[in-house]
Amino acid sequence: MNKDFKEILITEEQIKNQVKQIGEMIDAKYGNEEVVIVGLLKGSYVFTADVARAIKNPNVFVEFIVASSYKNGDSTGEVRIVLDTKRPVYGKHVIIVEDIIDTGRTLAKVKQMFVNRGAKTVEIATMCTKPARRVVHVTIDYPTFEIPDEIVVGYGLDYNEHYRHLPYVAAITEEFFKKGLIK
Ligand code: PRP
């Protein structure tokens, strides 16, 4: 194993199975109805691409947004949309796709935003979740991996922008955590 990692928490194989299952669930639920998959950059770029390719529905559209949140200790949980969808979501089925839910603040705000914009339905698919860190309740509508409160990288997740490109999810070592603070 790479010396920067102490453990692989989610394997490539596990993610493949999850993606397949989610694609099948979306097809079973929506058939050929119009569905807008909204990935939250940067973290969700890999999962969004994989989930979209697991869906057979010809009426699926892919959008991305960037939500910026303040994450320091005295965080107010403010979430700002710095890149928005290209097309309106009014009257459409929206599925927000995330790499991870931590406190839940980002997803709660983003979900509410799409509800306010008149989306027909708004669901959430997240590759993984850290239940121990949750501050705001968020309903997860598709299969997810529950992970411990570790700093994780891979499959879109980064530590100071490192290791987003891994095909699996790993917990980083204490040494890498200290080293990685230098950008
Ligand atoms: C991560 C992740 C979620 C958010 C979850 O993004 O992709 O969007 O944090 O945290 P929360 O549940 O506490 O709101 P990050 O801000 O690290 O940006 P990135 O996607 O560009 O890596």
Side-chain angles (χ1 to χ4, degrees):
M1 188 163 45
N2 183 315
K3 61 171 175 35
D4 294 332
F5 309 150
K6 63 177 174 196
E7 195 186 344
I8 292 175
L9 294 178
I10 313 170
T11 66
E12 198 174 346
E13 198 57 35
Q14 285 177 302
I15 299 173
K16 276 192 181 138
N17 289 335
Q18 177 198 33
V19 164
K20 188 168 174 282
Q21 233 183 306
I22 293 175
E24 287 169 358
M25 284 174 77
I26 293 173
D27 276 329
K29 197 178 279 184
Y30 297 106
N32 282 359
E33 284 187 74
E34 190 169 336
V35 175
V36 185
I37 303 288
V38 182
L40 260 77
L41 294 174
K42 285 185 195 176
S44 79
Y45 80 103
V46 192
F47 192 46
T48 305
D50 282 350
V51 167
R53 284 179 294 175
I55 302 169
K56 294 194 174 76
N57 178 357
N59 298 311
V60 160
F61 296 88
V62 180
E63 294 277 355
F64 285 99
I65 65 169
V66 176
S68 127
S69 53
Y70 298 97
K71 291 204 150 178
N72 48 22
D74 53 354
S75 164
T76 57
E78 194 188 324
V79 178
R80 220 161 34 92
I81 303 299
V82 294
L83 175 80
D84 213 332
T85 61
K86 203 164 180 184
R87 298 167 73 214
V89 299
Y90 181 84
K92 293 173 187 166
H93 295 296
V94 169
I95 304 173
I96 307 166
V97 178
E98 255 297 22
D99 49 342
I100 190 165
I101 303 181
D102 192 3
T103 64
R105 286 187 174 116
T106 309
L107 256 291
K109 290 271 165 71
V110 169
K111 181 172 180 176
Q112 192 53 49
M113 180 183 83
F114 286 123
V115 168
N116 295 346
R117 288 177 180 185
K120 199 168 180 181
T121 58
V122 184
E123 290 191 313
I124 290 172
T126 185
M127 189 268 295
C128 68
T129 175
K130 273 186 189 170
R133 297 262 309 158
R134 199 71 92 252
V135 173
V136 181
H137 172 74
V138 177
T139 302
I140 301 169
D141 301 284
Y142 293 92
T144 189
F145 294 105
E146 292 197 355
I147 59 167
D149 191 10
E150 295 273 356
I151 300 190
V152 290
V153 294
Y155 201 72
L157 292 156
D158 71 306
Y159 175 57
N160 284 343
E161 299 302 327
H162 292 273
Y163 290 126
R164 285 195 198 270
H165 62 295
L166 296 176
Y168 53 88
V169 175
I172 62 168
T173 61
E174 201 61 33
E175 294 72 49
F176 184 66
F177 173 72
K178 286 176 191 152
K179 234 185 7 188
L181 287 172
I182 306 146
K183 275 199 185 179

